[in-house]
């Protein structure tokens, strides 16, 4: 069964600290992996999209890594800010990469405290 | 401003009532999608459309209906057959290019539907 598992479920960190969120998937065949940020009561916003051949991709203070062999991805947030408080969703595209075949993780809820 | 607009932000449904959620985009995107988000759960696909006058069922289409009469608009109707409609509904759109399945989704800000 195609699944995307994220950990931890929730995380609290102090402002200025770094953190890493994890995503493990069992989707096959694999096309791409995406990370989204979702503020409470809002729609998700794309952070990165990585294909099979990409190991790392950055977007400002966000850096995503992908290990297609172990089917793991991580999202590293550097020098966290209060505005980073949100849910972070890992999404994997399979079966030829059609947009109709995206599998969403349940998300990691990050709280950044002053 | 370019973007994708959902309305209303909050909607209440009475027993046996059909309600329609609006989704409009001015990004000139070919594809549009409807997702349902429940607390603590991943997004689940309800319906999607890649071209005007055509749409496909997603994983949880039962109790929902859609139309795509215009490229810009993809309304979702939650029918009385949907017995557990309380959820956060998200509309999204994306470019469609042959051979490039990695176009990112642009989401609206969502509609929270509750049952009275």
């Amino acid at each position: 069964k195609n699944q995307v598992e994220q950990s931890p479920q929730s995380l609290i960190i102090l402002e200025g600290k770094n953190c890493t969120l994890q995503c493990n998937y069992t989707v096959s065949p694999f096309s791409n992996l995406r990370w989204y940020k979702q503020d409470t009561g809002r729609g998700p916003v794309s952070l990165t999209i990585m294909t099979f051949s990409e190991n790392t991709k950055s977007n400002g203070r966000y850096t995503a890594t992908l290990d297609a062999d172990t089917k793991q991805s991580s999202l590293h947030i550097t020098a966290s800010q209060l505005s980073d408080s949100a849910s972070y969703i890992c999404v994997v595209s399979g079966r030829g990469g059609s947009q109709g075949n995206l599998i969403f993780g349940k998300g990691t809820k990050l709280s950044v405290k002053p | 401003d370019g973007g994708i607009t959902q309305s209303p932000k909050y909607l209440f449904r009475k027993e046996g009532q059909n309600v329609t959620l609006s989704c409009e985009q001015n990004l000139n995107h070919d594809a549009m999608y409807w997702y349902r988000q429940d607390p603590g759960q991943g997004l689940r696909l309800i319906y999607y459309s890649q071209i005007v006058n055509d749409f496909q069922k997603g994983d949880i289409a039962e109790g929902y209906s859609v139309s795509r009469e215009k490229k810009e608009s993809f309304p979702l109707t939650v029918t009385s057959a949907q017995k557990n409609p309380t959820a956060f509904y998200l509309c999204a759109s994306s470019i469609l290019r042959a051979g490039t399945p990695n176009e990112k989704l642009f989401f609206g800000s969502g509609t929270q539907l509750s049952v009275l």
Side-chain angles (χ1 to χ4, degrees):
Chain A
K1 181 181 178 182
N2 289 332
Q3 285 186 314
V4 175
E5 300 286 344
Q6 292 188 244
S7 62
Q9 187 173 352
S10 61
L11 182 63
I12 301 174
I13 62 173
L14 292 176
E15 186 178 12
K17 298 296 186 183
N18 303 337
C19 68
T20 300
L21 314 181
Q22 300 291 343
C23 174
N24 296 339
Y25 62 93
T26 58
V27 179
S28 182
F30 170 86
S31 177
N32 61 74
L33 185 144
R34 312 156 184 229
W35 283 95
Y36 284 85
K37 176 186 179 187
Q38 184 178 22
D39 293 318
T40 301
R42 308 286 295 177
V45 174
S46 178
L47 294 175
T48 64
I49 300 177
M50 290 187 291
T51 61
F52 184 91
S53 59
E54 295 174 298
N55 299 118
T56 184
K57 185 169 274 192
S58 292
N59 179 358
R61 295 181 296 101
Y62 300 101
T63 299
T65 64
L66 173 64
D67 186 334
D69 291 331
T70 62
K71 298 186 177 180
Q72 295 179 325
S73 176
S74 65
L75 181 69
H76 185 74
I77 304 174
T78 304
S80 61
Q81 300 176 358
L82 298 179
S83 59
D84 292 331
S85 294
S87 287
Y88 291 84
I89 302 171
C90 177
V91 187
V92 178
S93 177
R95 285 193 283 165
S98 166
Q99 299 273 35
N101 295 311
L102 299 178
I103 300 160
F104 290 76
K106 296 179 180 180
T108 292
K109 186 171 183 178
L110 174 66
S111 297
V112 180
K113 303 295 185 183
Chain B
D1 283 341
I4 182 165
T5 302
Q6 290 187 240
S7 63
K9 181 66 177 174
Y10 300 96
L11 187 59
F12 297 90
R13 193 191 89 166
K14 294 180 182 178
E15 198 77 30
Q17 185 183 39
N18 293 351
V19 293
T20 297
L21 285 60
S22 171
C23 179
E24 304 275 335
Q25 55 99 359
N26 60 5
L27 300 168
N28 199 32
H29 285 172
D30 298 299
M32 297 187 74
Y33 312 81
W34 275 105
Y35 290 93
R36 171 176 170 146
Q37 187 174 35
D38 293 281
Q41 299 297 318
L43 272 68
R44 291 181 291 169
L45 182 65
I46 305 172
Y47 269 100
Y48 68 104
S49 168
Q50 297 182 328
I51 194 170
V52 173
N53 292 324
D54 188 42
F55 46 83
Q56 286 76 42
K57 292 182 179 180
D59 300 318
I60 56 165
E62 185 174 350
Y64 301 97
S65 66
V66 294
S67 62
R68 187 91 186 273
E69 297 177 0
K70 298 185 301 181
K71 186 176 183 178
E72 302 79 21
S73 179
F74 192 40
L76 173 74
T77 296
V78 183
T79 75
S80 57
Q82 174 48 248
K83 298 306 179 187
N84 184 24
T86 297
F88 191 54
Y89 290 86
L90 286 161
C91 180
S93 69
S94 71
I95 296 170
L96 268 184
R97 269 195 279 255
T100 56
N102 302 325
E103 300 295 339
K104 69 180 177 182
L105 290 175
F106 290 79
F107 285 88
S109 55
T111 293
Q112 176 63 50
L113 175 62
S114 303
V115 176
L116 289 175

